[in-house]
Amino acid sequence: HKCAGSSSQSGLPTLADGLHQLEMLGDTGDLTRAPALLAEINREYEDVRVKLENKLQSLEPAPGAH
């Protein structure tokens, strides 16, 4: 629940939606779709992580720059 809310507040609607769907599956007790959904969530998380890492690297000063 907290991860879905944090993702939503961070502007990551796809990740938030997947986490919310996973939460709903847990609430219903029907976890048949959970492995596939978790794989989708993991792919989206990895995509976001890589994009953020690349953005942070682009903001770092070049070696030797003052």
Side-chain angles (χ1 to χ4, degrees), residues 7-8 11-18:
S7 296
S8 181
L12 304 169
T14 305
L15 188 57
D17 184 54

Side-chain angles (χ1 to χ4, degrees), residues 37-60:
L37 185 55
L38 188 56
E40 291 174 31
I41 291 167
N42 284 333
R43 281 191 296 275
E44 180 65 20
Y45 172 81
E46 183 61 18
D47 184 52
V48 169
R49 187 194 66 74
V50 168
K51 286 178 181 176
L52 285 173
E53 188 174 288
N54 290 339
K55 183 63 175 177
L56 286 173
Q57 287 178 357
S58 75
L59 298 174
E60 291 178 2

Side-chain angles (χ1 to χ4, degrees), residues 5-39:
S6 295
S7 296
S8 181
Q9 293 294 325
S10 299
L12 304 169
T14 305
L15 188 57
D17 184 54
L19 290 165
H20 181 69
Q21 288 180 44
L22 189 61
E23 180 183 359
M24 298 300 280
L25 289 178
D27 289 345
T28 66
D30 179 7
L31 302 178
T32 30
R33 189 164 135 51
L37 185 55
L38 188 56

